[in-house]
Amino acid sequence: MANIKSQIKRIRTNEDARLRNKSAKSAIRTAMKNVRLAVEAKDKAKALEAEKVAYKLIDKSVSDGVQHANTGARQKSTIARLVKSLD
């Protein structure tokens, strides 16, 4: 355990950030799963709505620094490919 006051605070803030990042990544995985389920059910309207939600979550996580920009782009590409397969 750290003895230095600033390091104790740093440990606490790092833990808060870790939990926030974990929650954001989990929300993205859930949103991508919802897109996948809508595509498997061949429900285009539901898939488009789920796609919009997932895009918003991915863009926010990239802008907040939770994910790398390339990771976000790859996830959005995967979602777009799935939704396009319904046409």
Side-chain angles (χ1 to χ4, degrees):
M1 185 66 194
N3 295 332
I4 300 165
K5 192 174 185 180
S6 62
Q7 188 58 34
I8 291 169
K9 180 179 179 184
R10 203 61 219 147
I11 289 168
R12 194 170 58 239
T13 58
N14 284 344
E15 181 65 11
D16 291 343
R18 184 185 73 81
L19 293 174
R20 198 167 37 248
N21 293 345
K22 181 179 173 186
S23 173
K25 288 178 185 180
S26 176
I28 290 170
R29 282 193 296 270
T30 302
M32 291 180 72
K33 180 180 175 184
N34 290 340
V35 172
R36 214 174 307 109
L37 291 174
V39 169
E40 287 172 4
K42 299 200 184 330
D43 186 350
K44 186 163 184 168
K46 201 172 189 180
L48 289 172
E49 185 60 34
E51 178 186 36
K52 192 188 309 184
V53 170
Y55 274 15
K56 185 173 183 177
L57 288 171
I58 291 168
D59 287 338
K60 180 152 177 49
S61 75
V62 169
S63 68
D64 289 346
V66 175
Q67 290 185 325
H68 191 276
N70 290 356
T71 302
R74 185 181 69 245
Q75 289 172 335
K76 286 168 67 172
S77 173
T78 301
I79 291 169
R81 198 167 3 109
L82 284 171
V83 173
K84 183 125 173 86
S85 71
L86 288 176
D87 291 338

